[in-house]
Short mmCIF file of all heavy atoms in Angstrom, two decimals:
data_model
loop_
_atom_site.label_atom_id
_atom_site.label_comp_id
_atom_site.label_asym_id
_atom_site.label_seq_id
_atom_site.Cartn_x
_atom_site.Cartn_y
_atom_site.Cartn_z
N ARG A 1 -17.84 56.37 -15.24
CA ARG A 1 -16.88 57.00 -16.12
C ARG A 1 -15.59 56.20 -16.20
O ARG A 1 -14.73 56.53 -16.99
CB ARG A 1 -16.63 58.41 -15.67
CG ARG A 1 -17.92 59.17 -15.52
CD ARG A 1 -18.04 60.61 -15.75
NE ARG A 1 -17.36 61.39 -16.68
CZ ARG A 1 -17.77 61.69 -17.89
NH1 ARG A 1 -18.82 61.12 -18.39
NH2 ARG A 1 -17.10 62.52 -18.63
N TYR A 2 -15.46 55.15 -15.38
CA TYR A 2 -14.26 54.33 -15.45
C TYR A 2 -14.07 53.68 -16.81
O TYR A 2 -12.95 53.67 -17.33
CB TYR A 2 -14.25 53.27 -14.35
CG TYR A 2 -14.16 53.85 -12.95
CD1 TYR A 2 -14.95 53.36 -11.93
CD2 TYR A 2 -13.27 54.87 -12.64
CE1 TYR A 2 -14.87 53.88 -10.64
CE2 TYR A 2 -13.18 55.40 -11.37
CZ TYR A 2 -13.99 54.89 -10.37
OH TYR A 2 -13.90 55.41 -9.11
N PRO A 3 -15.13 53.14 -17.41
CA PRO A 3 -14.93 52.53 -18.74
C PRO A 3 -14.40 53.52 -19.78
O PRO A 3 -13.54 53.16 -20.59
CB PRO A 3 -16.32 52.02 -19.12
CG PRO A 3 -17.02 51.81 -17.82
CD PRO A 3 -16.49 52.90 -16.92
N GLU A 4 -14.88 54.76 -19.73
CA GLU A 4 -14.40 55.76 -20.69
C GLU A 4 -12.93 56.10 -20.45
O GLU A 4 -12.16 56.24 -21.40
CB GLU A 4 -15.25 57.04 -20.62
CG GLU A 4 -16.67 56.86 -21.08
CD GLU A 4 -17.62 56.49 -19.95
OE1 GLU A 4 -17.18 56.27 -18.81
OE2 GLU A 4 -18.82 56.41 -20.23
N ALA A 5 -12.54 56.21 -19.19
CA ALA A 5 -11.14 56.51 -18.87
C ALA A 5 -10.24 55.36 -19.31
O ALA A 5 -9.16 55.58 -19.87
CB ALA A 5 -10.98 56.78 -17.39
N ALA A 6 -10.67 54.15 -19.05
CA ALA A 6 -9.88 52.98 -19.45
C ALA A 6 -9.75 52.92 -20.97
O ALA A 6 -8.67 52.65 -21.50
CB ALA A 6 -10.51 51.70 -18.92
N GLN A 7 -10.83 53.19 -21.67
CA GLN A 7 -10.81 53.14 -23.13
C GLN A 7 -9.84 54.21 -23.68
O GLN A 7 -9.07 53.94 -24.61
CB GLN A 7 -12.20 53.34 -23.71
CG GLN A 7 -12.24 53.22 -25.22
CD GLN A 7 -13.64 53.39 -25.77
OE1 GLN A 7 -14.54 53.88 -25.10
NE2 GLN A 7 -13.82 52.98 -27.01
N ALA A 8 -9.88 55.39 -23.13
CA ALA A 8 -8.99 56.47 -23.59
C ALA A 8 -7.53 56.10 -23.36
O ALA A 8 -6.68 56.31 -24.24
CB ALA A 8 -9.32 57.78 -22.88
N ALA A 9 -7.22 55.52 -22.22
CA ALA A 9 -5.84 55.11 -21.93
C ALA A 9 -5.40 53.99 -22.87
O ALA A 9 -4.27 54.00 -23.37
CB ALA A 9 -5.71 54.67 -20.48
N GLN A 10 -6.27 53.04 -23.13
CA GLN A 10 -5.93 51.94 -24.04
C GLN A 10 -5.72 52.46 -25.46
O GLN A 10 -4.83 51.98 -26.18
CB GLN A 10 -7.01 50.87 -24.00
CG GLN A 10 -7.00 50.11 -22.70
CD GLN A 10 -8.25 49.27 -22.47
OE1 GLN A 10 -9.26 49.45 -23.12
NE2 GLN A 10 -8.16 48.33 -21.53
N GLN A 11 -6.50 53.43 -25.87
CA GLN A 11 -6.32 54.03 -27.20
C GLN A 11 -4.98 54.74 -27.28
O GLN A 11 -4.29 54.68 -28.31
CB GLN A 11 -7.46 54.99 -27.52
CG GLN A 11 -8.76 54.30 -27.83
CD GLN A 11 -9.91 55.28 -27.99
OE1 GLN A 11 -9.85 56.43 -27.59
NE2 GLN A 11 -11.00 54.80 -28.58
N GLY A 12 -4.60 55.42 -26.23
CA GLY A 12 -3.30 56.08 -26.19
C GLY A 12 -2.16 55.09 -26.34
O GLY A 12 -1.19 55.33 -27.07
N LEU A 13 -2.27 53.95 -25.68
CA LEU A 13 -1.25 52.91 -25.82
C LEU A 13 -1.18 52.39 -27.24
O LEU A 13 -0.09 52.12 -27.76
CB LEU A 13 -1.56 51.74 -24.87
CG LEU A 13 -1.22 51.96 -23.42
CD1 LEU A 13 -1.80 50.85 -22.56
CD2 LEU A 13 0.29 52.04 -23.24
N ALA A 14 -2.32 52.23 -27.87
CA ALA A 14 -2.36 51.69 -29.23
C ALA A 14 -1.79 52.68 -30.25
O ALA A 14 -1.26 52.26 -31.29
CB ALA A 14 -3.79 51.33 -29.60
N LEU A 15 -1.85 53.96 -29.95
CA LEU A 15 -1.43 54.98 -30.92
C LEU A 15 0.05 55.31 -30.88
O LEU A 15 0.59 55.79 -31.87
CB LEU A 15 -2.23 56.26 -30.70
CG LEU A 15 -3.72 56.17 -31.02
CD1 LEU A 15 -4.41 57.47 -30.62
CD2 LEU A 15 -3.93 55.89 -32.50
N SER A 16 0.70 55.07 -29.75
CA SER A 16 2.08 55.53 -29.64
C SER A 16 2.93 54.58 -28.80
O SER A 16 2.52 54.17 -27.72
CB SER A 16 2.11 56.91 -29.00
OG SER A 16 3.45 57.31 -28.78
N PRO A 17 4.14 54.27 -29.29
CA PRO A 17 5.06 53.45 -28.50
C PRO A 17 5.90 54.27 -27.52
O PRO A 17 6.78 53.72 -26.85
CB PRO A 17 5.94 52.82 -29.58
CG PRO A 17 5.99 53.84 -30.65
CD PRO A 17 4.62 54.50 -30.63
N ASP A 18 5.66 55.56 -27.42
CA ASP A 18 6.44 56.44 -26.56
C ASP A 18 6.40 55.93 -25.11
O ASP A 18 5.33 55.75 -24.54
CB ASP A 18 5.84 57.85 -26.63
CG ASP A 18 6.63 58.84 -25.80
OD1 ASP A 18 6.66 58.70 -24.56
OD2 ASP A 18 7.20 59.77 -26.38
N PRO A 19 7.57 55.71 -24.48
CA PRO A 19 7.58 55.17 -23.12
C PRO A 19 6.94 56.09 -22.08
O PRO A 19 6.37 55.62 -21.10
CB PRO A 19 9.06 54.94 -22.82
CG PRO A 19 9.82 55.65 -23.86
CD PRO A 19 8.91 55.87 -25.02
N HIS A 20 7.03 57.40 -22.30
CA HIS A 20 6.40 58.33 -21.34
C HIS A 20 4.88 58.24 -21.44
O HIS A 20 4.18 58.28 -20.43
CB HIS A 20 6.89 59.75 -21.56
CG HIS A 20 8.35 59.90 -21.29
ND1 HIS A 20 8.89 59.77 -20.04
CD2 HIS A 20 9.39 60.14 -22.13
CE1 HIS A 20 10.20 59.92 -20.10
NE2 HIS A 20 10.53 60.14 -21.36
N LEU A 21 4.37 58.10 -22.65
CA LEU A 21 2.94 57.91 -22.84
C LEU A 21 2.51 56.55 -22.28
O LEU A 21 1.46 56.44 -21.64
CB LEU A 21 2.55 58.02 -24.31
CG LEU A 21 1.07 57.77 -24.63
CD1 LEU A 21 0.18 58.76 -23.89
CD2 LEU A 21 0.81 57.84 -26.11
N ALA A 22 3.34 55.54 -22.48
CA ALA A 22 3.03 54.21 -21.94
C ALA A 22 2.95 54.27 -20.42
O ALA A 22 2.03 53.69 -19.82
CB ALA A 22 4.08 53.19 -22.39
N TYR A 23 3.91 54.97 -19.80
CA TYR A 23 3.86 55.10 -18.34
C TYR A 23 2.54 55.72 -17.91
O TYR A 23 1.83 55.19 -17.04
CB TYR A 23 5.02 55.98 -17.83
CG TYR A 23 4.86 56.31 -16.37
CD1 TYR A 23 5.31 55.43 -15.40
CD2 TYR A 23 4.20 57.46 -15.96
CE1 TYR A 23 5.12 55.70 -14.05
CE2 TYR A 23 4.00 57.74 -14.62
CZ TYR A 23 4.46 56.86 -13.68
OH TYR A 23 4.25 57.12 -12.35
N PHE A 24 2.20 56.84 -18.51
CA PHE A 24 0.99 57.55 -18.12
C PHE A 24 -0.25 56.71 -18.37
O PHE A 24 -1.13 56.62 -17.51
CB PHE A 24 0.91 58.88 -18.89
CG PHE A 24 -0.31 59.68 -18.54
CD1 PHE A 24 -0.42 60.29 -17.31
CD2 PHE A 24 -1.35 59.80 -19.44
CE1 PHE A 24 -1.56 61.02 -16.97
CE2 PHE A 24 -2.49 60.52 -19.11
CZ PHE A 24 -2.59 61.13 -17.88
N ALA A 25 -0.33 56.07 -19.53
CA ALA A 25 -1.51 55.27 -19.85
C ALA A 25 -1.67 54.10 -18.89
O ALA A 25 -2.77 53.83 -18.40
CB ALA A 25 -1.42 54.76 -21.29
N HIS A 26 -0.58 53.40 -18.59
CA HIS A 26 -0.67 52.27 -17.66
C HIS A 26 -0.98 52.76 -16.24
O HIS A 26 -1.73 52.10 -15.51
CB HIS A 26 0.62 51.46 -17.67
CG HIS A 26 0.79 50.62 -18.90
ND1 HIS A 26 -0.09 49.62 -19.24
CD2 HIS A 26 1.72 50.65 -19.87
CE1 HIS A 26 0.31 49.05 -20.37
NE2 HIS A 26 1.40 49.67 -20.77
N TYR A 27 -0.44 53.91 -15.87
CA TYR A 27 -0.73 54.46 -14.55
C TYR A 27 -2.22 54.81 -14.45
O TYR A 27 -2.87 54.51 -13.43
CB TYR A 27 0.14 55.69 -14.27
CG TYR A 27 0.07 56.12 -12.83
CD1 TYR A 27 0.93 55.58 -11.89
CD2 TYR A 27 -0.86 57.07 -12.41
CE1 TYR A 27 0.87 55.96 -10.56
CE2 TYR A 27 -0.92 57.45 -11.08
CZ TYR A 27 -0.06 56.90 -10.16
OH TYR A 27 -0.13 57.28 -8.84
N VAL A 28 -2.76 55.43 -15.48
CA VAL A 28 -4.19 55.76 -15.49
C VAL A 28 -5.02 54.48 -15.42
O VAL A 28 -5.98 54.40 -14.65
CB VAL A 28 -4.55 56.60 -16.74
CG1 VAL A 28 -6.06 56.67 -16.93
CG2 VAL A 28 -3.97 57.99 -16.63
N LEU A 29 -4.65 53.48 -16.22
CA LEU A 29 -5.39 52.21 -16.17
C LEU A 29 -5.32 51.59 -14.79
O LEU A 29 -6.32 51.08 -14.28
CB LEU A 29 -4.85 51.25 -17.23
CG LEU A 29 -5.27 51.52 -18.65
CD1 LEU A 29 -4.45 50.69 -19.62
CD2 LEU A 29 -6.76 51.25 -18.84
N GLY A 30 -4.15 51.61 -14.18
CA GLY A 30 -4.02 51.08 -12.83
C GLY A 30 -4.92 51.79 -11.84
O GLY A 30 -5.58 51.18 -11.01
N THR A 31 -4.97 53.11 -11.95
CA THR A 31 -5.83 53.90 -11.07
C THR A 31 -7.30 53.60 -11.30
O THR A 31 -8.07 53.43 -10.35
CB THR A 31 -5.55 55.40 -11.28
OG1 THR A 31 -4.16 55.65 -11.01
CG2 THR A 31 -6.41 56.26 -10.39
N VAL A 32 -7.68 53.50 -12.56
CA VAL A 32 -9.08 53.18 -12.90
C VAL A 32 -9.47 51.82 -12.34
O VAL A 32 -10.51 51.68 -11.68
CB VAL A 32 -9.29 53.23 -14.43
CG1 VAL A 32 -10.62 52.59 -14.82
CG2 VAL A 32 -9.22 54.66 -14.93
N TYR A 33 -8.62 50.83 -12.57
CA TYR A 33 -8.94 49.48 -12.08
C TYR A 33 -8.95 49.42 -10.56
O TYR A 33 -9.79 48.74 -9.96
CB TYR A 33 -7.95 48.46 -12.65
CG TYR A 33 -8.09 48.24 -14.14
CD1 TYR A 33 -6.98 48.11 -14.95
CD2 TYR A 33 -9.34 48.18 -14.75
CE1 TYR A 33 -7.10 47.90 -16.32
CE2 TYR A 33 -9.47 47.99 -16.11
CZ TYR A 33 -8.35 47.85 -16.89
OH TYR A 33 -8.48 47.65 -18.23
N ARG A 34 -8.03 50.15 -9.91
CA ARG A 34 -8.02 50.16 -8.44
C ARG A 34 -9.31 50.75 -7.90
O ARG A 34 -9.94 50.20 -7.01
CB ARG A 34 -6.82 50.97 -7.91
CG ARG A 34 -6.80 51.07 -6.39
CD ARG A 34 -5.57 51.81 -5.87
NE ARG A 34 -5.22 53.02 -6.58
CZ ARG A 34 -5.74 54.23 -6.35
NH1 ARG A 34 -6.65 54.39 -5.42
NH2 ARG A 34 -5.34 55.27 -7.03
N ARG A 35 -9.72 51.86 -8.47
CA ARG A 35 -10.95 52.51 -8.00
C ARG A 35 -12.19 51.68 -8.31
O ARG A 35 -13.19 51.78 -7.61
CB ARG A 35 -11.07 53.90 -8.61
CG ARG A 35 -10.04 54.85 -8.03
CD ARG A 35 -10.20 56.24 -8.53
NE ARG A 35 -9.20 57.11 -7.92
CZ ARG A 35 -9.06 58.37 -8.23
NH1 ARG A 35 -9.84 58.93 -9.14
NH2 ARG A 35 -8.13 59.09 -7.64
N ALA A 36 -12.12 50.88 -9.36
CA ALA A 36 -13.25 50.01 -9.72
C ALA A 36 -13.24 48.71 -8.92
O ALA A 36 -14.17 47.92 -9.02
CB ALA A 36 -13.23 49.70 -11.21
N GLY A 37 -12.18 48.50 -8.12
CA GLY A 37 -12.10 47.31 -7.29
C GLY A 37 -11.47 46.10 -7.95
O GLY A 37 -11.48 45.01 -7.40
N SER A 38 -10.86 46.29 -9.12
CA SER A 38 -10.19 45.20 -9.84
C SER A 38 -8.70 45.22 -9.49
O SER A 38 -7.87 45.72 -10.26
CB SER A 38 -10.39 45.34 -11.34
OG SER A 38 -11.75 45.30 -11.66
N LEU A 39 -8.37 44.68 -8.32
CA LEU A 39 -7.01 44.79 -7.83
C LEU A 39 -6.00 44.06 -8.70
O LEU A 39 -4.90 44.56 -8.93
CB LEU A 39 -6.91 44.29 -6.38
CG LEU A 39 -7.67 45.12 -5.35
CD1 LEU A 39 -7.38 44.60 -3.95
CD2 LEU A 39 -7.32 46.59 -5.45
N ASP A 40 -6.34 42.88 -9.19
CA ASP A 40 -5.39 42.14 -10.05
C ASP A 40 -5.05 42.94 -11.30
O ASP A 40 -3.88 43.04 -11.68
CB ASP A 40 -5.95 40.77 -10.45
CG ASP A 40 -5.99 39.79 -9.28
OD1 ASP A 40 -5.15 39.92 -8.38
OD2 ASP A 40 -6.85 38.89 -9.30
N ALA A 41 -6.05 43.51 -11.93
CA ALA A 41 -5.81 44.31 -13.14
C ALA A 41 -5.02 45.57 -12.79
O ALA A 41 -4.13 45.98 -13.55
CB ALA A 41 -7.14 44.68 -13.80
N ALA A 42 -5.31 46.18 -11.66
CA ALA A 42 -4.59 47.39 -11.23
C ALA A 42 -3.12 47.07 -10.99
O ALA A 42 -2.23 47.82 -11.44
CB ALA A 42 -5.22 47.97 -9.97
N ILE A 43 -2.84 45.96 -10.33
CA ILE A 43 -1.46 45.55 -10.07
C ILE A 43 -0.71 45.36 -11.39
O ILE A 43 0.42 45.83 -11.55
CB ILE A 43 -1.44 44.27 -9.21
CG1 ILE A 43 -1.85 44.61 -7.77
CG2 ILE A 43 -0.07 43.60 -9.25
CD1 ILE A 43 -2.13 43.40 -6.91
N THR A 44 -1.34 44.71 -12.33
CA THR A 44 -0.72 44.49 -13.64
C THR A 44 -0.38 45.81 -14.32
O THR A 44 0.72 45.99 -14.86
CB THR A 44 -1.65 43.65 -14.54
OG1 THR A 44 -1.83 42.36 -13.93
CG2 THR A 44 -1.08 43.47 -15.93
N GLU A 45 -1.31 46.75 -14.30
CA GLU A 45 -1.09 48.03 -14.98
C GLU A 45 -0.03 48.88 -14.28
O GLU A 45 0.80 49.51 -14.94
CB GLU A 45 -2.39 48.80 -15.12
CG GLU A 45 -3.38 48.14 -16.04
CD GLU A 45 -2.88 47.89 -17.45
OE1 GLU A 45 -2.03 48.67 -17.97
OE2 GLU A 45 -3.31 46.91 -18.06
N PHE A 46 -0.02 48.89 -12.96
CA PHE A 46 1.01 49.64 -12.24
C PHE A 46 2.39 49.03 -12.49
O PHE A 46 3.38 49.75 -12.63
CB PHE A 46 0.71 49.74 -10.75
CG PHE A 46 -0.38 50.71 -10.41
CD1 PHE A 46 -1.47 50.33 -9.65
CD2 PHE A 46 -0.33 52.03 -10.84
CE1 PHE A 46 -2.48 51.22 -9.33
CE2 PHE A 46 -1.33 52.94 -10.54
CZ PHE A 46 -2.41 52.53 -9.77
N ARG A 47 2.47 47.70 -12.58
CA ARG A 47 3.74 47.04 -12.90
C ARG A 47 4.21 47.46 -14.29
O ARG A 47 5.37 47.79 -14.50
CB ARG A 47 3.61 45.52 -12.81
CG ARG A 47 4.91 44.79 -13.16
CD ARG A 47 4.78 43.27 -13.10
NE ARG A 47 3.60 42.75 -13.76
CZ ARG A 47 3.47 42.57 -15.08
NH1 ARG A 47 4.45 42.89 -15.89
NH2 ARG A 47 2.36 42.08 -15.58
N LYS A 48 3.30 47.45 -15.25
CA LYS A 48 3.65 47.87 -16.61
C LYS A 48 4.09 49.34 -16.64
O LYS A 48 4.99 49.70 -17.39
CB LYS A 48 2.47 47.66 -17.56
CG LYS A 48 2.21 46.21 -17.85
CD LYS A 48 1.00 46.06 -18.76
CE LYS A 48 0.68 44.61 -19.05
NZ LYS A 48 -0.50 44.47 -19.94
N ALA A 49 3.45 50.16 -15.82
CA ALA A 49 3.82 51.58 -15.78
C ALA A 49 5.25 51.75 -15.28
O ALA A 49 6.05 52.46 -15.91
CB ALA A 49 2.85 52.36 -14.89
N TYR A 50 5.60 51.11 -14.17
CA TYR A 50 6.96 51.32 -13.68
C TYR A 50 8.00 50.63 -14.55
O TYR A 50 9.14 51.07 -14.62
CB TYR A 50 7.10 51.00 -12.19
CG TYR A 50 7.34 49.58 -11.78
CD1 TYR A 50 8.56 48.96 -12.00
CD2 TYR A 50 6.37 48.86 -11.11
CE1 TYR A 50 8.79 47.66 -11.59
CE2 TYR A 50 6.58 47.57 -10.70
CZ TYR A 50 7.80 46.97 -10.94
OH TYR A 50 8.02 45.69 -10.53
N GLN A 51 7.61 49.60 -15.28
CA GLN A 51 8.54 48.99 -16.24
C GLN A 51 8.77 49.93 -17.43
O GLN A 51 9.86 49.96 -17.99
CB GLN A 51 8.02 47.64 -16.72
CG GLN A 51 8.12 46.56 -15.66
CD GLN A 51 7.49 45.25 -16.08
OE1 GLN A 51 6.60 45.22 -16.91
NE2 GLN A 51 7.95 44.18 -15.47
N ALA A 52 7.75 50.69 -17.80
CA ALA A 52 7.89 51.63 -18.91
C ALA A 52 8.79 52.80 -18.55
O ALA A 52 9.50 53.32 -19.40
CB ALA A 52 6.51 52.16 -19.34
N ASP A 53 8.78 53.21 -17.28
CA ASP A 53 9.61 54.34 -16.84
C ASP A 53 10.03 54.10 -15.39
O ASP A 53 9.40 54.61 -14.46
CB ASP A 53 8.84 55.65 -16.98
CG ASP A 53 9.73 56.86 -16.79
OD1 ASP A 53 10.89 56.71 -16.35
OD2 ASP A 53 9.26 57.97 -17.09
N PRO A 54 11.10 53.32 -15.18
CA PRO A 54 11.52 52.96 -13.82
C PRO A 54 11.94 54.13 -12.94
O PRO A 54 11.99 53.98 -11.73
CB PRO A 54 12.71 52.02 -14.05
CG PRO A 54 12.65 51.61 -15.46
CD PRO A 54 11.91 52.68 -16.20
N ASP A 55 12.24 55.28 -13.54
CA ASP A 55 12.66 56.43 -12.74
C ASP A 55 11.49 57.10 -12.02
O ASP A 55 11.71 57.87 -11.09
CB ASP A 55 13.36 57.46 -13.63
CG ASP A 55 14.69 56.94 -14.14
OD1 ASP A 55 15.31 56.10 -13.45
OD2 ASP A 55 15.11 57.35 -15.23
N ARG A 56 10.29 56.81 -12.44
CA ARG A 56 9.11 57.40 -11.78
C ARG A 56 8.63 56.42 -10.72
O ARG A 56 8.24 55.31 -11.02
CB ARG A 56 8.03 57.69 -12.81
CG ARG A 56 8.58 58.69 -13.84
CD ARG A 56 7.56 59.30 -14.66
NE ARG A 56 6.61 60.05 -13.87
CZ ARG A 56 5.64 60.75 -14.41
NH1 ARG A 56 5.51 60.78 -15.71
NH2 ARG A 56 4.80 61.40 -13.66
N ARG A 57 8.65 56.85 -9.49
CA ARG A 57 8.41 55.95 -8.37
C ARG A 57 6.95 55.79 -7.98
O ARG A 57 6.60 54.90 -7.22
CB ARG A 57 9.21 56.43 -7.17
CG ARG A 57 10.68 56.42 -7.46
CD ARG A 57 11.47 56.92 -6.31
NE ARG A 57 12.87 57.00 -6.72
CZ ARG A 57 13.84 57.12 -5.88
NH1 ARG A 57 13.62 57.19 -4.60
NH2 ARG A 57 15.08 57.18 -6.32
N GLU A 58 6.08 56.65 -8.50
CA GLU A 58 4.68 56.60 -8.09
C GLU A 58 4.05 55.25 -8.42
O GLU A 58 3.36 54.65 -7.59
CB GLU A 58 3.87 57.71 -8.76
CG GLU A 58 4.32 59.10 -8.43
CD GLU A 58 5.36 59.64 -9.41
OE1 GLU A 58 5.85 58.88 -10.28
OE2 GLU A 58 5.68 60.83 -9.30
N ALA A 59 4.28 54.77 -9.63
CA ALA A 59 3.67 53.51 -10.06
C ALA A 59 4.21 52.34 -9.26
O ALA A 59 3.46 51.44 -8.88
CB ALA A 59 3.88 53.29 -11.55
N ARG A 60 5.50 52.35 -9.01
CA ARG A 60 6.08 51.25 -8.22
C ARG A 60 5.50 51.24 -6.81
O ARG A 60 5.20 50.19 -6.26
CB ARG A 60 7.59 51.33 -8.19
CG ARG A 60 8.16 50.13 -7.47
CD ARG A 60 9.65 50.04 -7.56
NE ARG A 60 10.05 48.75 -7.03
CZ ARG A 60 10.75 47.87 -7.68
NH1 ARG A 60 11.16 48.12 -8.89
NH2 ARG A 60 11.07 46.72 -7.12
N GLY A 61 5.33 52.42 -6.23
CA GLY A 61 4.73 52.50 -4.90
C GLY A 61 3.30 51.96 -4.89
O GLY A 61 2.92 51.23 -3.98
N GLU A 62 2.51 52.32 -5.89
CA GLU A 62 1.14 51.81 -5.99
C GLU A 62 1.14 50.29 -6.17
O GLU A 62 0.36 49.58 -5.56
CB GLU A 62 0.40 52.47 -7.15
CG GLU A 62 0.04 53.91 -6.92
CD GLU A 62 -1.04 54.09 -5.86
OE1 GLU A 62 -1.85 53.17 -5.64
OE2 GLU A 62 -1.08 55.16 -5.26
N TYR A 63 2.04 49.82 -7.04
CA TYR A 63 2.15 48.38 -7.28
C TYR A 63 2.46 47.63 -5.99
O TYR A 63 1.78 46.66 -5.64
CB TYR A 63 3.26 48.13 -8.31
CG TYR A 63 3.66 46.69 -8.46
CD1 TYR A 63 2.88 45.80 -9.20
CD2 TYR A 63 4.82 46.21 -7.86
CE1 TYR A 63 3.26 44.48 -9.33
CE2 TYR A 63 5.20 44.89 -7.99
CZ TYR A 63 4.42 44.03 -8.72
OH TYR A 63 4.77 42.72 -8.85
N GLU A 64 3.46 48.09 -5.25
CA GLU A 64 3.86 47.42 -4.02
C GLU A 64 2.77 47.49 -2.96
O GLU A 64 2.52 46.52 -2.24
CB GLU A 64 5.16 48.00 -3.51
CG GLU A 64 6.34 47.64 -4.41
CD GLU A 64 7.63 48.34 -4.05
OE1 GLU A 64 7.62 49.26 -3.19
OE2 GLU A 64 8.66 47.98 -4.65
N ARG A 65 2.10 48.63 -2.87
CA ARG A 65 1.03 48.79 -1.87
C ARG A 65 -0.13 47.84 -2.17
O ARG A 65 -0.64 47.16 -1.28
CB ARG A 65 0.54 50.24 -1.85
CG ARG A 65 -0.48 50.53 -0.76
CD ARG A 65 -0.87 52.00 -0.77
NE ARG A 65 -1.57 52.40 -1.96
CZ ARG A 65 -2.86 52.14 -2.20
NH1 ARG A 65 -3.58 51.47 -1.33
NH2 ARG A 65 -3.44 52.56 -3.31
N LEU A 66 -0.54 47.77 -3.44
CA LEU A 66 -1.66 46.90 -3.80
C LEU A 66 -1.29 45.43 -3.68
O LEU A 66 -2.12 44.61 -3.27
CB LEU A 66 -2.14 47.20 -5.22
CG LEU A 66 -2.90 48.51 -5.39
CD1 LEU A 66 -3.25 48.71 -6.86
CD2 LEU A 66 -4.15 48.51 -4.55
N LEU A 67 -0.06 45.09 -4.03
CA LEU A 67 0.38 43.71 -3.91
C LEU A 67 0.36 43.28 -2.44
O LEU A 67 -0.11 42.20 -2.12
CB LEU A 67 1.78 43.56 -4.50
CG LEU A 67 2.27 42.16 -4.79
CD1 LEU A 67 1.35 41.43 -5.75
CD2 LEU A 67 3.68 42.20 -5.35
N ALA A 68 0.83 44.15 -1.56
CA ALA A 68 0.80 43.85 -0.12
C ALA A 68 -0.64 43.73 0.37
O ALA A 68 -0.97 42.84 1.17
CB ALA A 68 1.54 44.95 0.65
N GLN A 69 -1.52 44.60 -0.12
CA GLN A 69 -2.93 44.56 0.26
C GLN A 69 -3.56 43.25 -0.20
O GLN A 69 -4.31 42.62 0.54
CB GLN A 69 -3.67 45.75 -0.36
CG GLN A 69 -5.12 45.84 -0.02
CD GLN A 69 -5.78 47.04 -0.70
OE1 GLN A 69 -5.12 47.96 -1.15
NE2 GLN A 69 -7.09 47.02 -0.77
N LEU A 70 -3.25 42.83 -1.41
CA LEU A 70 -3.81 41.59 -1.94
C LEU A 70 -3.28 40.38 -1.18
O LEU A 70 -4.04 39.46 -0.87
CB LEU A 70 -3.48 41.47 -3.42
CG LEU A 70 -4.18 40.39 -4.22
CD1 LEU A 70 -5.69 40.63 -4.25
CD2 LEU A 70 -3.64 40.33 -5.63
N ASN A 71 -2.00 40.40 -0.84
CA ASN A 71 -1.40 39.28 -0.10
C ASN A 71 -1.88 39.22 1.34
O ASN A 71 -1.81 38.16 1.96
CB ASN A 71 0.12 39.37 -0.15
CG ASN A 71 0.66 39.05 -1.53
OD1 ASN A 71 0.05 38.32 -2.29
ND2 ASN A 71 1.82 39.60 -1.84
N ALA A 72 -2.34 40.33 1.89
CA ALA A 72 -2.82 40.37 3.27
C ALA A 72 -4.20 39.74 3.41
O ALA A 72 -4.64 39.43 4.52
CB ALA A 72 -2.85 41.80 3.77
N LYS A 73 -4.89 39.53 2.29
CA LYS A 73 -6.24 38.97 2.36
C LYS A 73 -6.22 37.48 2.58
O LYS A 73 -5.38 36.76 2.26
CB LYS A 73 -7.01 39.27 1.07
CG LYS A 73 -7.38 40.72 0.96
CD LYS A 73 -8.21 40.94 -0.26
CE LYS A 73 -8.69 42.39 -0.31
NZ LYS A 73 -9.55 42.63 -1.42
#
């Protein structure tokens, strides 16, 4: 079901420039990619999420955690 979730989030990004929607869509994509084992893609999406809405700390925390995990390898 990861491909369907990723597709839905990408469609949301394509339909609206709203920063709150962008945050949510990138956060969902980051979560999908993390669970699918694509850490580089997850890091990119979590970074885009916190750039879209810097006041929301969840995405930045995920970004930093995954980056540290990737660098530890």
Side-chain angles (χ1 to χ4, degrees):
R1 308 211 34 92
Y2 294 136
E4 293 91 355
Q7 183 179 17
Q10 289 166 344
Q11 287 173 343
L13 283 170
L15 293 174
S16 175
D18 182 296
H20 296 292
L21 178 59
Y23 171 85
F24 180 71
H26 286 298
Y27 192 88
V28 167
L29 283 168
T31 301
V32 167
Y33 291 140
R34 177 177 44 85
R35 290 185 179 176
S38 299
L39 294 186
D40 289 332
I43 288 169
T44 297
E45 293 303 329
F46 285 127
R47 179 181 47 79
K48 289 178 181 180
Y50 84 72
Q51 287 174 335
D53 191 350
D55 293 331
R56 299 195 61 177
R57 299 178 185 196
E58 299 91 352
R60 185 172 189 124
E62 288 290 334
Y63 169 79
E64 291 172 351
R65 186 177 66 78
L66 288 177
L67 195 58
Q69 181 181 343
L70 191 63
N71 289 333
K73 289 184 175 184

